[in-house]
Amino acid sequence: RFSAIAFNEGFSSHRATFLFGRINKITGTITVHCACEPEQSNYPDHVELSPDFDITIPNQVAGILGMECVGMAISHKFETDQPFCEYMLRLAAKYQNTFGEYFTTVCVRPNPDDKNTTELRAYQVKDAAMKIDKKQWFVDSDDPSWCKFDRDVHNLYISDAYANKAQVNMLVCAVPKKCSCKSKIPGHKFPSPSSYPTAAALASYLSENSDFPTWLKLFDFNLLIFLLKNKVVPEDDFKIIIDSILKMENLCPRIQLEIEDYLKKNE
């Protein structure tokens, strides 16, 4: 859905979403199963994540489902052949430091060889960028191809000389990818946090999916985030919802009534 929206909008602005899935630490393989698009401000040349976005909530949902945050995707359209730019480097370094060495940033952009399709390129930042982020040496740059520092950085981090800037390409490396994974989560239709969903969105979603079993109806990652974030049901009952989903069993009537009561209170 993330790629489709970016494509339909003509990649007119940068958008970002966090990726959740599983990591095989023996093979190093990362499998993405779902995404959560945070509240954000979108611009033609960058995206700014809202400081109000609390990633601990989607992390909690992911953890209960046996997943973790494995990366982020950023959609954009650059006229130059620079799929990874300066502000992306800083975001990637920040979140690689937060979530670990397997965190991967995927660039989604129009395919230069076929304008009717999208192209995905996956990257990780090098250790030098992670160290510079930890030391908070990055400063704003007016050139998307260059990152700047608030001091001269020794060759331990960049090259064989001191410098207060470096080309972005020196601090990132491409990683191989395959687009063959089928998500283990069947639903991806509930609005993401970036759409600021309300109780009306929940009512509409439940109505549109009224023919599904109750466990399947709620098996949508962004919907589960909404239920937990907005305390639609008590946290103990939220865990019962997840347990029903994992066991593919219908919800008990009490929890269904709690959801209905939430909708009535927020009409």
Side-chain angles (χ1 to χ4, degrees), residues 46-195:
H46 71 288
V47 59
E48 295 177 6
L49 306 186
S50 169
D52 296 330
F53 176 66
D54 183 4
I55 199 168
T56 61
I57 293 175
N59 259 347
Q60 185 177 350
V61 176
I64 299 172
L65 293 170
M67 301 185 297
E68 58 188 292
C69 184
V70 297
M72 71 186 307
I74 301 176
S75 65
H76 67 84
K77 177 175 65 177
F78 272 120
E79 299 302 328
T80 63
D81 190 29
Q82 177 83 31
F84 207 86
C85 61
E86 181 267 343
Y87 90 87
M88 294 181 192
L89 171 73
R90 293 169 67 177
L91 272 180
K94 172 184 176 180
Y95 288 111
Q96 267 183 238
N97 277 325
T98 301
F99 293 110
E101 61 181 315
Y102 293 99
F103 188 91
T104 301
T105 301
V106 179
C107 293
V108 183
R109 65 177 193 162
N111 189 334
D113 299 321
D114 182 0
K115 298 300 182 182
N116 294 317
T117 61
T118 56
E119 175 190 69
L120 306 180
R121 294 190 184 184
Y123 299 88
Q124 290 179 324
V125 301
K126 296 180 180 178
D127 289 346
M130 296 174 67
K131 292 176 182 176
I132 293 170
D133 171 72
K134 280 185 177 180
K135 293 178 180 290
Q136 300 183 333
W137 288 350
F138 281 117
V139 294
D140 293 338
S141 172
D142 55 5
D143 186 338
S145 300
W146 288 81
C147 51
K148 293 185 178 180
F149 322 118
D150 66 359
R151 67 197 67 203
D152 287 341
V153 177
H154 187 256
N155 60 8
L156 172 65
Y157 299 109
I158 303 298
S159 61
D160 58 357
Y162 284 90
N164 64 0
K165 65 178 183 178
Q167 284 189 321
V168 170
N169 290 340
M170 294 178 64
L171 291 171
V172 302
C173 57
V175 296
K177 55 156 180 48
K178 294 181 180 180
C179 299
S180 58
C181 170
K182 184 175 181 180
S183 175
K184 300 294 185 182
I185 297 181
H188 299 88
K189 295 182 180 179
F190 190 79
S192 59
S194 64
S195 298

Side-chain angles (χ1 to χ4, degrees), residues 164-253:
N164 64 0
K165 65 178 183 178
Q167 284 189 321
V168 170
N169 290 340
M170 294 178 64
L171 291 171
V172 302
C173 57
V175 296
K177 55 156 180 48
K178 294 181 180 180
C179 299
S180 58
C181 170
K182 184 175 181 180
S183 175
K184 300 294 185 182
I185 297 181
H188 299 88
K189 295 182 180 179
F190 190 79
S192 59
S194 64
S195 298
Y196 297 92
T198 62
L202 175 59
S204 175
Y205 174 88
L206 294 176
S207 175
E208 291 172 1
N209 296 277
S210 59
D211 293 336
F212 291 154
T214 54
W215 70 268
L216 183 57
K217 189 187 306 184
L218 299 184
F219 200 0
D220 181 297
F221 189 63
N222 284 299
L223 171 58
L224 292 171
I225 292 171
F226 178 87
L227 296 179
L228 183 61
K229 177 181 179 181
N230 292 278
K231 300 179 181 179
V232 177
V233 299
E235 189 164 339
D236 287 344
D237 285 349
F238 179 80
K239 294 176 181 177
I240 294 175
I241 291 175
I242 298 292
D243 189 56
S244 297
I245 289 172
L246 296 176
K247 293 179 179 178
M248 295 187 289
E249 296 176 351
N250 280 327
L251 296 179
C252 65

